[in-house]
Amino acid sequence: MSPSKVTGKEFRTNLARFRSFTSRPIFRLLLLFCLFGPAPVALAQFRFPAPEFESEYTFPDTTVPSHQSVRQQYLDVGLLLVVLSLASYFVLANRSRKGLWVLMVFSLLYFGFYREGCVCAIGSIQNVALSLFDSSYAVPFTVLMFFLLPLIFALFTGRVYCASVCPLGAIQDLVVLKPIKLPAKLSQVLHMIPYAYFGTAVLLAATGSGFIICRYDPFIGFFRLNGNAPYLYLGAVFLLVGVFIARPYCRFFCPYGVLLGWMSRFSKWHLSITPKGCIQCRLCEDSCPFDYIHKPNVGQVRERREIGVRRLSYLFVALPLMVLLGGYAGSRVATPLAAVNAKVYLAERVLLEQQDPNLESTLETRTFRAMGTSEPELMEQAVTLRSQFKLGGWLLGGFLGLVFAVKLIGISVVRRRTDYLVDKNACFSCGRCFEYCPNDEQHLVNRMEV
Amino acid sequence: MRVVERKVETSSVLYRVTRGIGVAAAILSLLVCILIIANNLRVKSLDPIHLPALERLIKELEKNPEDQALREEIQELDLLARKAFFSSQQFNNTGIWLILISLSVMLIAFKTLSKIHQEVPYPEGRDPSDAMIKEAGWRRWAVGGTGLVLVGFALFLALTTRSELDMKMAVVDAPATEPVPTAEAEPAAASFPSREELFKNWPGFRGVDGNGLAPDAQAPLEWDGKEGTNIVWKVAVPKPGFGSPVIWGDRVFLSGGDDSAREVYCFNRANGEMLWRKEVKLADSPAEPPSVAADTGHAAASPATNGSLFFAIFSTGDLVAYDFEGNLAWGRNLGVPKNHYGHSSSLILFENLLLVEFDHAESGRFLGLDAATGKTVWETTRDMGLTWSSPLVVNTGNRMEAILSANPLVVSYDPKTGKELWRLECLGGEVAPSPAFGDGLVYVASDYVKLAAIDVNTAKITWDHDGDIPGVSSPLVVNGLIFYGLSDGGMLCRDAKTGEELWFEDTDYGFYASPVLVGDRIYLMDREGTMHIFTASREFKSLGKPVLGEEAVCTPAFIDGHIYYRGIENLYRIGT
């Protein structure tokens, strides 16, 4: 059979079909998946086995890398201060999204790729928590500054750290291509996750059980161009999702965002959509890809006052009960949570292996036995840690109960809004809304020039 | 909100170039990704350190270690393999940078395109007038619901998590269990053999007091089981078992069992003739025996005898007493023990009581039974882990104590009443060695955990060691010294008061049998069947290493200058 000849018309039809297909969202999604999907495999660690043959070669002495130079540390802190100051300037005085974007790219390159994502303010929560509960641990100066400076700036100028400094935020911000608006119910639920993550991270750090924020940092593998495949995949998923749901880690996971939000809520100066008075033009209504713009509520039907007062009274009565319920649940979950601690895990495993001799010993239990540490000593340490987790569980649960109660009260208190305002607690101060405001003369001039 | 469609100049050169760059960068990064993956898979399958050619050359070098040319060839090949590996790593590193750059270019291009496509907002329509009330309503539900789900999840986690540590803490914190006097039986009128009678016989595991001491006995120094040298008789035992023989008068008793049946045997001490053999089958015996480990079996516990009855216990929980003619005097099932290796705590007699340590995974017990009738005189609950050791009854100078070692507690009981006298948490893991006693100190051990000396008057540890601990074999205390064999080979002597190691003698095979003092010599059988005979002194002095000719794990019995030994298959009388 001879190959059929494609006519010019057929070819054009096929080409049109192909173009039509490639312009569909599903094709773009597939393309993105193809791009982000294999990347983690490519970046995943691959180690060469240690040489096993005997030779006359004398191995050099093991060397320990020298401490990070003090100059480098001061440079990091200095740059952080400069970038925060510049970001504040771009947000409040210059109202320049472009300036913020350039700053963001710089931060991504310096704090992300060059400094390999460490030290970062998000992880510094754990150092501070550990130092508060372990007198033998002192927070390094750099870490303390990375913890404090963004919070201090947030107290005065809002979350400018999120806008232009955080490399985790920057890498996500760059991939925001087709942001969609999440259903508000889902968004509300997801916004509770950072509190739980924050509390858990503090508890684990305070008990010396580990720094989970760093361990599960989804982007560190990208910054270091190396890492374990599961974490790289996690990062790739965040970036892929981030194409459509803008900055998902920042909005729904970031534990540092909890602290920044508390500070930013009371910020003296904060980004505003309009530099002058709002003229209710509604142009900015959908400008925020994160959905952090509150609409005015003038003209909306209000709840009857007595219903609102009654509800608030119930909620205030329920507040201590919710704290207690949360505390109780937290104390009960302390047992499984404590297994995250290496010592508790080891003790559990040693006991498990004793109970079931068919269980194969793990590297940890073999090492423990080889080291000759006494078992009662291990058990004693594990029991002490468990009691710390019990107390910590009460505190963590109580904290979450309080957060939920305050959130419910906050929803029930209606504030009158006459203008379009940003959510001061959550707004990243990215400045995307600037150019939507017709009252912003600077942007208007720019647009006219264009 | 409606948006105003803006006419986009898709045919402009700038637009098309940007789109082309974006797509090209995307394709490039995808290609590089695929190449890197293929490269990784290739290197992984290559396994440069285990190249067949390299391994062949290394084997050749082992045969000709002096072959310098071969050595150089190996080094060259190894270097090549490593170079290939690191070249591929270099390829990966370059590729990663290419991916990074192309992804960046793609993002810039696509962002530019999305900027060109940016929609101009044109708001129309307003939210319904009751939107605020409705929004607040479902936001409250969302927050409240999430909170409840979190609480539920926490409680679910708590309820479904089993913590061994919690169970251990519960055991340690548990108050001492009072023995339950039972109405089954009053202690029978004192009718039990005297000490003199006991020392003329071998009534149980490790002799009269279960302490491994037979200072008045004698035993040969030389024999050969294979050749038959100094073997008076040798008989096959029908079913396997790891319990030691017990001897009274002219009778030698054993127990044995497998999945099909559990049995007891009586042999003529003079000629080894089997006098009777009985299958143990009680009315309340389980239909199927429990699953046990092969190296423990169904008859691991040593039996005991008081001169009128012979007692045996099995993995099924069947406890039986036979008279010397083979008639069942009494039998009862204590419940099938949950013990993955198999029950192995030996029976021990104290006056007219048969003491039974019945520790298992659920509700362990220590029982004092009337030896004549089998009825429970007292019973004490033991809420602790599994154990495979046997009780030891000692006279501390102040009182009689039955000392039981388990995970994690060593507990002392009044053997007459079962009342707990003291407890100390010091062990862990699988406790198989039985306690030993001397000069006010009781010695307990569990493999991988510790060997400890406990002062019975203060219930405190005098000394302990974490290394070189007996795993199965029980220690022997004599002349202010403690001797024991290690499961993986080696014999040790320590100063009993200080724990100081005095000597260590390496052996080819490990020990499951326990050492016994015979006269002034110590007999310790290794698992291969070699008896290590040495002096009970601060320096190691070997007196002989006769062999049995078969594997051996049992502790021997010594009477009248003879050794009665149960090998894996045969029962021996050794002597002249």
Side-chain angles (χ1 to χ4, degrees):
Chain A
M1 186 192 253
S2 62
S4 60
K5 206 172 179 181
V6 180
T7 62
K9 190 180 173 186
E10 280 171 339
F11 177 75
R12 280 194 296 278
T13 313
N14 289 340
L15 190 64
R17 276 185 193 154
F18 178 73
R19 279 184 177 160
S20 157
F21 173 71
T22 54
S23 64
R24 284 179 192 170
I26 186 72
F27 171 78
R28 290 177 189 165
L29 192 67
L30 274 172
L31 181 69
L32 284 165
F33 181 77
C34 289
L35 288 172
F36 288 115
V41 182
L43 294 175
Q45 279 179 346
F46 194 89
R47 300 220 182 274
F48 190 80
E52 289 174 0
F53 59 88
E54 286 182 15
S55 71
E56 289 160 9
Y57 177 73
T58 311
F59 283 90
D61 291 335
T62 308
T63 54
V64 180
S66 58
H67 290 291
Q68 205 175 57
S69 75
V70 178
R71 192 185 300 166
Q72 179 69 63
Q73 293 180 36
Y74 283 125
L75 178 66
D76 290 344
V77 175
L79 274 175
L80 175 69
L81 194 61
V82 170
V83 176
L84 282 169
S85 306
L86 276 173
S88 302
Y89 169 76
F90 287 133
V91 167
L92 299 173
N94 194 249
R95 291 176 61 79
S96 168
R97 164 71 188 156
K98 203 173 280 176
L100 287 167
W101 192 85
V102 172
L103 217 51
M104 185 179 77
V105 172
F106 167 77
S107 297
L108 175 65
L109 294 176
Y110 182 78
F111 293 114
F113 287 99
Y114 177 66
R115 301 294 295 133
E116 298 186 334
C118 195
V119 57
C120 90
I122 304 172
S124 69
I125 296 171
Q126 302 161 122
N127 302 75
V128 173
L130 180 60
S131 72
L132 289 176
F133 291 91
D134 181 355
S135 55
S136 64
Y137 178 78
V139 194
F141 167 77
T142 324
V143 178
L144 190 63
M145 287 298 105
F146 267 75
F147 176 75
L148 287 177
L149 283 176
L151 293 178
I152 294 168
F153 270 81
L155 192 58
F156 288 96
T157 62
R159 296 173 65 162
V160 289
Y161 177 78
C162 304
S164 295
V165 190
C166 179
L168 280 77
I171 196 169
Q172 293 172 86
D173 206 290
L174 287 179
V175 299
V176 179
L177 290 174
K178 281 273 177 193
I180 57 165
K181 202 171 178 180
L182 278 185
K185 284 179 208 169
L186 177 63
S187 179
Q188 181 68 63
V189 170
L190 294 175
H191 272 100
M192 303 310 291
I193 295 173
Y195 294 99
Y197 193 14
F198 169 75
T200 310
V202 168
L203 173 62
L204 293 180
T207 52
S209 307
F211 284 12
I212 55 164
I213 298 173
C214 299
R215 194 185 301 168
Y216 300 109
D217 183 335
F219 305 114
I220 201 82
F222 290 110
F223 295 149
R224 296 178 182 178
L225 302 180
N226 203 339
N228 291 329
Y231 299 132
L232 288 164
Y233 267 115
L234 183 68
V237 167
F238 268 112
L239 291 181
L240 186 61
V241 170
V243 173
F244 308 101
I245 301 168
R247 293 176 76 156
Y249 182 83
C250 304
R251 285 158 76 190
F252 308 127
F253 291 94
C254 180
Y256 193 60
V258 172
L259 297 179
L260 285 171
W262 289 343
M263 297 292 130
S264 179
R265 180 183 290 273
F266 304 104
S267 55
K268 190 171 171 60
W269 304 283
H270 194 282
L271 171 147
S272 65
I273 303 168
T274 175
K276 298 177 182 172
C278 176
I279 56 167
Q280 312 276 325
C281 66
R282 300 177 59 199
L283 290 175
C284 64
E285 213 168 70
D286 286 328
S287 64
C288 181
F290 316 111
D291 205 15
Y292 289 154
I293 291 179
H294 291 309
K295 295 175 186 173
N297 56 13
V298 181
Q300 283 278 314
V301 176
R302 287 173 169 261
E303 202 171 37
R304 288 215 325 270
R305 187 177 168 75
E306 60 270 24
I307 296 175
V309 170
R310 198 187 314 143
R311 181 183 295 111
L312 269 179
S313 313
Y314 288 151
L315 285 172
F316 274 111
V317 171
L319 187 143
L321 296 176
M322 288 175 76
V323 171
L324 278 176
L325 178 67
Y328 172 72
S331 72
R332 293 301 308 270
V333 88
T335 300
L337 199 58
V340 174
N341 185 285
K343 276 208 176 88
V344 178
Y345 169 78
L346 178 64
E348 292 275 10
R349 183 71 200 183
V350 165
L351 290 171
L352 203 63
E353 284 176 15
Q354 286 167 7
Q355 292 296 325
D356 183 0
N358 294 325
L359 266 184
E360 265 196 40
S361 59
T362 62
L363 180 66
E364 290 87 351
T365 52
R366 284 197 296 275
T367 309
F368 164 72
R369 287 177 185 127
M371 285 174 71
T373 315
S374 81
E375 194 186 303
E377 199 180 316
L378 171 71
M379 296 303 157
E380 196 181 323
Q381 288 171 348
V383 168
T384 308
L385 277 162
R386 179 68 76 67
S387 61
Q388 288 173 359
F389 266 93
K390 193 94 176 162
L391 176 65
W394 271 104
L395 294 174
L396 168 64
F399 163 73
L400 289 177
L402 182 68
V403 166
F404 275 82
V406 169
K407 202 63 130 180
L408 286 174
I409 291 169
I411 295 168
S412 302
V413 176
V414 180
R415 293 178 190 83
R416 182 181 160 82
R417 284 191 301 269
T418 54
D419 296 332
Y420 282 87
L421 297 171
V422 292
D423 181 341
K424 281 177 76 175
N425 181 46
C427 172
F428 296 139
S429 299
C430 68
R432 281 186 172 86
C433 53
F434 291 158
E435 65 177 2
Y436 285 81
C437 182
N439 241 348
D440 189 334
E441 286 168 8
Q442 185 186 328
H443 286 104
L444 200 61
V445 169
N446 288 346
R447 278 200 296 275
M448 286 171 75
E449 280 173 357
V450 170
Chain B
M1 179 184 286
R2 184 162 70 88
V3 293
V4 174
E5 286 296 332
R6 195 168 57 171
K7 194 178 177 187
V8 179
E9 283 299 328
T10 52
S11 57
S12 73
V13 176
L14 178 69
Y15 183 88
R16 290 166 71 177
V17 167
T18 311
R19 190 175 60 183
I21 289 172
V23 171
I27 292 169
L28 176 66
S29 58
L30 190 61
L31 277 176
V32 177
C33 261
I34 291 166
L35 285 174
I36 290 179
I37 291 166
N39 183 48
N40 276 354
L41 291 176
R42 190 183 60 83
V43 173
K44 210 164 190 176
S45 63
L46 199 63
D47 193 7
I49 201 84
H50 295 116
L51 286 176
L54 195 61
E55 290 193 334
R56 185 174 48 78
L57 289 176
I58 289 171
K59 274 186 185 166
E60 276 179 33
L61 186 68
E62 281 168 5
K63 287 177 194 164
N64 308 303
E66 302 304 319
D67 190 338
Q68 194 57 33
L70 193 57
R71 185 180 287 268
E72 280 169 14
E73 194 180 347
I74 289 173
Q75 284 174 349
E76 272 174 29
L77 194 57
D78 185 81
L79 187 65
L80 273 176
R82 282 167 197 275
K83 269 185 179 170
F85 174 82
F86 285 108
S87 300
S88 72
Q89 288 295 85
Q90 184 63 37
F91 175 84
N92 278 5
N93 290 340
T94 314
I96 287 165
W97 277 105
L98 264 176
I99 291 175
L100 195 68
I101 292 166
S102 55
L103 278 178
S104 305
V105 171
M106 181 199 79
L107 274 175
I108 292 166
F110 285 176
K111 277 220 162 236
T112 311
L113 291 181
S114 74
K115 196 80 184 167
I116 293 171
H117 278 292
Q118 193 175 18
E119 294 157 344
V120 178
Y122 187 85
E124 61 175 2
R126 297 220 173 239
D127 291 338
S129 59
D130 61 347
M132 190 172 71
I133 295 178
K134 280 188 178 167
E135 185 186 310
W138 53 248
R139 281 178 69 196
R140 271 192 295 271
W141 278 112
V143 172
T146 309
L148 286 176
V149 167
L150 272 182
V151 169
F153 180 64
L155 295 179
F156 170 77
L157 263 186
L159 290 174
T160 53
T161 303
R162 178 189 148 94
S163 166
E164 300 296 330
L165 201 59
D166 279 347
M167 293 171 73
K168 185 183 172 72
M169 283 158 69
V171 169
V172 175
D173 295 341
T177 314
E178 287 296 316
V180 182
T182 66
E184 279 186 28
E186 286 297 314
S191 167
F192 47 86
S194 64
R195 300 278 295 171
E196 289 73 24
E197 276 182 288
L198 287 170
F199 272 105
K200 283 179 192 164
N201 296 287
W202 195 265
F205 175 57
R206 294 204 297 168
V208 177
D209 291 321
N211 222 356
L213 299 174
D216 299 328
Q218 290 181 335
L221 283 170
E222 291 172 0
W223 65 85
D224 188 323
K226 265 191 183 163
E227 301 293 328
T229 313
N230 282 350
I231 303 295
V232 179
W233 51 257
K234 168 184 170 183
V235 290
V237 183
K239 287 195 182 292
F242 301 104
S244 301
V246 295
I247 302 165
W248 198 279
D250 59 351
R251 312 273 164 131
V252 180
F253 299 99
L254 279 184
S255 62
D258 56 21
D259 284 345
S260 62
R262 273 64 57 201
E263 295 178 339
V264 288
Y265 313 106
C266 176
F267 298 89
N268 185 324
R269 194 178 131 195
N271 56 19
E273 178 197 355
M274 186 186 284
L275 298 175
W276 48 264
R277 169 184 180 180
K278 300 286 176 186
E279 182 180 347
V280 175
K281 208 167 191 180
L282 304 175
D284 49 356
S285 296
E288 292 295 328
S291 172
V292 294
D295 59 357
T296 304
H298 294 282
S302 293
T305 178
N306 62 2
S308 52
L309 293 174
F310 156 67
F311 310 94
I313 189 168
F314 298 90
S315 66
T316 51
D318 285 341
L319 175 63
V320 289
Y322 285 86
D323 67 18
F324 278 26
E325 302 310 314
N327 303 309
L328 183 70
W330 55 263
R332 56 186 288 194
N333 184 274
L334 301 178
V336 181
K338 287 191 189 307
N339 189 325
H340 49 277
Y341 289 158
H343 179 80
S344 64
S345 296
S346 298
L347 299 170
I348 187 165
L349 285 152
F350 170 70
E351 297 181 347
N352 60 323
L353 295 175
L354 178 68
L355 305 184
V356 186
E357 181 178 359
F358 201 64
D359 288 339
H360 60 108
E362 289 172 10
S363 65
R365 288 175 284 161
F366 186 35
L367 301 108
L369 308 182
D370 182 347
T373 63
K375 290 183 176 171
T376 306
V377 176
W378 53 258
E379 180 177 325
T380 303
T381 305
R382 281 166 57 77
D383 291 325
M384 49 201 82
L386 276 168
T387 185
W388 295 269
S389 67
S390 304
L392 175 71
V393 175
V394 296
N395 186 345
T396 64
N398 301 323
R399 60 191 175 189
M400 296 300 291
E401 293 187 19
I403 299 170
L404 281 65
S405 56
N407 172 7
L409 298 167
V410 175
V411 187
S412 170
Y413 301 92
D414 180 344
K416 279 189 178 165
T417 63
K419 185 178 167 53
E420 185 176 315
L421 301 174
W422 54 265
R423 61 168 52 197
L424 179 69
E425 186 197 353
C426 65
L427 294 182
E430 295 178 342
V431 183
S434 302
F437 179 79
D439 296 330
L441 295 176
V442 65
Y443 302 86
V444 293
S446 60
D447 210 0
Y448 296 119
V449 179
K450 70 169 56 164
L451 166 69
I454 303 166
D455 188 327
V456 289
N457 295 314
T458 59
K460 286 188 176 154
I461 291 178
T462 304
W463 57 260
D464 62 6
H465 276 282
D466 296 333
D468 289 338
I469 304 165
V472 178
S473 172
S474 306
L476 169 70
V477 183
V478 58
N479 299 341
L481 304 169
I482 177 167
F483 302 88
Y484 55 87
L486 303 176
S487 296
D488 49 1
M491 301 181 292
L492 248 94
C493 171
R494 292 182 186 277
D495 185 298
K497 279 210 164 59
T498 62
E500 180 199 353
E501 183 178 320
L502 299 175
W503 55 257
F504 173 84
E505 180 67 15
D506 201 10
T507 60
D508 293 337
Y509 299 97
F511 297 90
Y512 278 4
S514 302
V516 178
L517 177 79
V518 184
D520 56 355
R521 305 169 191 153
I522 294 172
Y523 284 70
L524 177 55
M525 180 72 97
D526 73 23
R527 294 178 64 185
E528 197 59 15
T530 302
M531 185 70 90
H532 297 264
I533 309 170
F534 50 92
T535 56
S537 57
R538 297 176 76 86
E539 294 85 30
F540 178 73
K541 186 182 173 191
S542 176
L543 299 173
K545 283 204 257 184
V547 292
L548 188 67
E550 64 178 286
E551 286 182 35
V553 293
C554 300
T555 300
F558 297 85
I559 288 189
D560 289 346
H562 287 90
I563 303 171
Y564 295 83
Y565 195 81
R566 179 190 200 158
I568 288 295
E569 290 172 349
N570 301 294
L571 176 65
Y572 297 80
R573 179 179 177 179
I574 303 167
T576 50

